[in-house]
Amino acid sequence: MMIYIKRSDAVYGPYSIDEVRGYLSIGRLVASDFAQLEGTSEWIPLTSVPGIRIELPPRAIRMDKPLYSGKGVNIWTVVRDVLIINMLTFIGGVIVVLASDQPGFSSPRYVLGLAAANILFGTVGFIIVGYLAKGNRWRHLAYVAIGAWLFGLVNVFFGPANFIQWFFSVFSIGIMMVVGGGLSFEINKR
């Protein structure tokens, strides 16, 4: 008996019953997948296929990609995504300057507004970057976070920040990465 598998809108197969059991055991197939037996037109839950016993498998793996592609990080997509995040935080900074009646780097209210805008716009940037990421999303987001943090040295040399402030900004960038990456996963669960 040959079986077709459907996940979202993608159809895979046909697979033999033994192949399906093997894919279930390694997590390439999960209980929420649908199956169509060869010669039928109806999609049924994979758990309803005779001879299939579903145990708790590991997290599902994309079926259209090998388990390990051997490809490294695409530096140009990292650069693009670092620029996306920095442009969004720049826009947030411009909004704070335009909204402030007395912009001044020493004013606590101004600094707090700038920090809030950077966190908000940076998190939105990580949502966008996470959504656009191909392959391992979290590894890509980590490279982008490191790039955005290093790009922040511009503020040390040409802006209002000092080295200590830049150094400890790694924590806020990490938080933006985790929150934005998590939200991007909720938007696009691939």
mmCIF file with all atom_site columns, all heavy atoms in Angstrom, residues 16 28 86 103 157 170 187:
data_model
loop_
_atom_site.group_PDB
_atom_site.id
_atom_site.type_symbol
_atom_site.label_atom_id
_atom_site.label_alt_id
_atom_site.label_comp_id
_atom_site.label_asym_id
_atom_site.label_entity_id
_atom_site.label_seq_id
_atom_site.pdbx_PDB_ins_code
_atom_site.Cartn_x
_atom_site.Cartn_y
_atom_site.Cartn_z
_atom_site.occupancy
_atom_site.B_iso_or_equiv
_atom_site.pdbx_formal_charge
_atom_site.auth_seq_id
_atom_site.auth_comp_id
_atom_site.auth_asym_id
_atom_site.auth_atom_id
_atom_site.pdbx_PDB_model_num
ATOM 1  N N   . SER A 1 16  ? 5.914  3.927  1.054  1.00 0.00 ? 16  SER A N   1
ATOM 2  C CA  . SER A 1 16  ? 5.419  2.641  1.533  1.00 0.00 ? 16  SER A CA  1
ATOM 3  C C   . SER A 1 16  ? 5.079  2.776  3.016  1.00 0.00 ? 16  SER A C   1
ATOM 4  O O   . SER A 1 16  ? 5.492  3.724  3.683  1.00 0.00 ? 16  SER A O   1
ATOM 5  C CB  . SER A 1 16  ? 6.476  1.548  1.331  1.00 0.00 ? 16  SER A CB  1
ATOM 6  O OG  . SER A 1 16  ? 7.561  1.767  2.223  1.00 0.00 ? 16  SER A OG  1
ATOM 7  N N   . ARG A 1 28  ? 10.163 13.079 10.959 1.00 0.00 ? 28  ARG A N   1
ATOM 8  C CA  . ARG A 1 28  ? 9.884  13.756 9.694  1.00 0.00 ? 28  ARG A CA  1
ATOM 9  C C   . ARG A 1 28  ? 8.391  13.812 9.416  1.00 0.00 ? 28  ARG A C   1
ATOM 10 O O   . ARG A 1 28  ? 7.926  14.659 8.668  1.00 0.00 ? 28  ARG A O   1
ATOM 11 C CB  . ARG A 1 28  ? 10.593 13.073 8.534  1.00 0.00 ? 28  ARG A CB  1
ATOM 12 C CG  . ARG A 1 28  ? 12.082 13.388 8.509  1.00 0.00 ? 28  ARG A CG  1
ATOM 13 C CD  . ARG A 1 28  ? 12.746 12.827 7.309  1.00 0.00 ? 28  ARG A CD  1
ATOM 14 N NE  . ARG A 1 28  ? 12.636 13.787 6.217  1.00 0.00 ? 28  ARG A NE  1
ATOM 15 C CZ  . ARG A 1 28  ? 13.220 13.606 5.053  1.00 0.00 ? 28  ARG A CZ  1
ATOM 16 N NH1 . ARG A 1 28  ? 13.939 12.535 4.825  1.00 0.00 ? 28  ARG A NH1 1
ATOM 17 N NH2 . ARG A 1 28  ? 13.085 14.502 4.095  1.00 0.00 ? 28  ARG A NH2 1
ATOM 18 N N   . ASN A 1 86  ? 18.911 47.994 11.443 1.00 0.00 ? 86  ASN A N   1
ATOM 19 C CA  . ASN A 1 86  ? 19.484 49.315 11.723 1.00 0.00 ? 86  ASN A CA  1
ATOM 20 C C   . ASN A 1 86  ? 18.680 50.438 11.085 1.00 0.00 ? 86  ASN A C   1
ATOM 21 O O   . ASN A 1 86  ? 18.569 51.515 11.665 1.00 0.00 ? 86  ASN A O   1
ATOM 22 C CB  . ASN A 1 86  ? 20.949 49.347 11.304 1.00 0.00 ? 86  ASN A CB  1
ATOM 23 C CG  . ASN A 1 86  ? 21.816 48.634 12.312 1.00 0.00 ? 86  ASN A CG  1
ATOM 24 O OD1 . ASN A 1 86  ? 21.890 49.023 13.463 1.00 0.00 ? 86  ASN A OD1 1
ATOM 25 N ND2 . ASN A 1 86  ? 22.443 47.554 11.891 1.00 0.00 ? 86  ASN A ND2 1
ATOM 26 N N   . PRO A 1 103 ? 15.280 67.987 22.159 1.00 0.00 ? 103 PRO A N   1
ATOM 27 C CA  . PRO A 1 103 ? 16.169 66.831 22.056 1.00 0.00 ? 103 PRO A CA  1
ATOM 28 C C   . PRO A 1 103 ? 17.539 67.154 22.645 1.00 0.00 ? 103 PRO A C   1
ATOM 29 O O   . PRO A 1 103 ? 18.117 68.193 22.385 1.00 0.00 ? 103 PRO A O   1
ATOM 30 C CB  . PRO A 1 103 ? 16.250 66.565 20.560 1.00 0.00 ? 103 PRO A CB  1
ATOM 31 C CG  . PRO A 1 103 ? 15.847 67.834 19.903 1.00 0.00 ? 103 PRO A CG  1
ATOM 32 C CD  . PRO A 1 103 ? 14.943 68.549 20.862 1.00 0.00 ? 103 PRO A CD  1
ATOM 33 N N   . PHE A 1 157 ? 31.610 55.748 17.929 1.00 0.00 ? 157 PHE A N   1
ATOM 34 C CA  . PHE A 1 157 ? 32.567 56.610 17.237 1.00 0.00 ? 157 PHE A CA  1
ATOM 35 C C   . PHE A 1 157 ? 31.958 57.910 16.715 1.00 0.00 ? 157 PHE A C   1
ATOM 36 O O   . PHE A 1 157 ? 32.626 58.939 16.673 1.00 0.00 ? 157 PHE A O   1
ATOM 37 C CB  . PHE A 1 157 ? 33.232 55.848 16.091 1.00 0.00 ? 157 PHE A CB  1
ATOM 38 C CG  . PHE A 1 157 ? 34.069 54.694 16.565 1.00 0.00 ? 157 PHE A CG  1
ATOM 39 C CD1 . PHE A 1 157 ? 33.718 53.396 16.259 1.00 0.00 ? 157 PHE A CD1 1
ATOM 40 C CD2 . PHE A 1 157 ? 35.188 54.905 17.362 1.00 0.00 ? 157 PHE A CD2 1
ATOM 41 C CE1 . PHE A 1 157 ? 34.478 52.329 16.710 1.00 0.00 ? 157 PHE A CE1 1
ATOM 42 C CE2 . PHE A 1 157 ? 35.955 53.852 17.813 1.00 0.00 ? 157 PHE A CE2 1
ATOM 43 C CZ  . PHE A 1 157 ? 35.604 52.557 17.489 1.00 0.00 ? 157 PHE A CZ  1
ATOM 44 N N   . VAL A 1 170 ? 24.295 44.490 24.137 1.00 0.00 ? 170 VAL A N   1
ATOM 45 C CA  . VAL A 1 170 ? 24.169 43.105 23.672 1.00 0.00 ? 170 VAL A CA  1
ATOM 46 C C   . VAL A 1 170 ? 22.964 42.430 24.326 1.00 0.00 ? 170 VAL A C   1
ATOM 47 O O   . VAL A 1 170 ? 22.294 41.596 23.711 1.00 0.00 ? 170 VAL A O   1
ATOM 48 C CB  . VAL A 1 170 ? 25.473 42.309 23.906 1.00 0.00 ? 170 VAL A CB  1
ATOM 49 C CG1 . VAL A 1 170 ? 25.693 42.012 25.378 1.00 0.00 ? 170 VAL A CG1 1
ATOM 50 C CG2 . VAL A 1 170 ? 25.476 41.021 23.097 1.00 0.00 ? 170 VAL A CG2 1
ATOM 51 N N   . ILE A 1 187 ? 4.204  33.648 13.241 1.00 0.00 ? 187 ILE A N   1
ATOM 52 C CA  . ILE A 1 187 ? 3.639  34.112 11.979 1.00 0.00 ? 187 ILE A CA  1
ATOM 53 C C   . ILE A 1 187 ? 3.873  33.089 10.881 1.00 0.00 ? 187 ILE A C   1
ATOM 54 O O   . ILE A 1 187 ? 2.997  32.829 10.052 1.00 0.00 ? 187 ILE A O   1
ATOM 55 C CB  . ILE A 1 187 ? 4.250  35.480 11.583 1.00 0.00 ? 187 ILE A CB  1
ATOM 56 C CG1 . ILE A 1 187 ? 3.810  36.533 12.585 1.00 0.00 ? 187 ILE A CG1 1
ATOM 57 C CG2 . ILE A 1 187 ? 3.847  35.875 10.169 1.00 0.00 ? 187 ILE A CG2 1
ATOM 58 C CD1 . ILE A 1 187 ? 4.560  37.849 12.462 1.00 0.00 ? 187 ILE A CD1 1
#
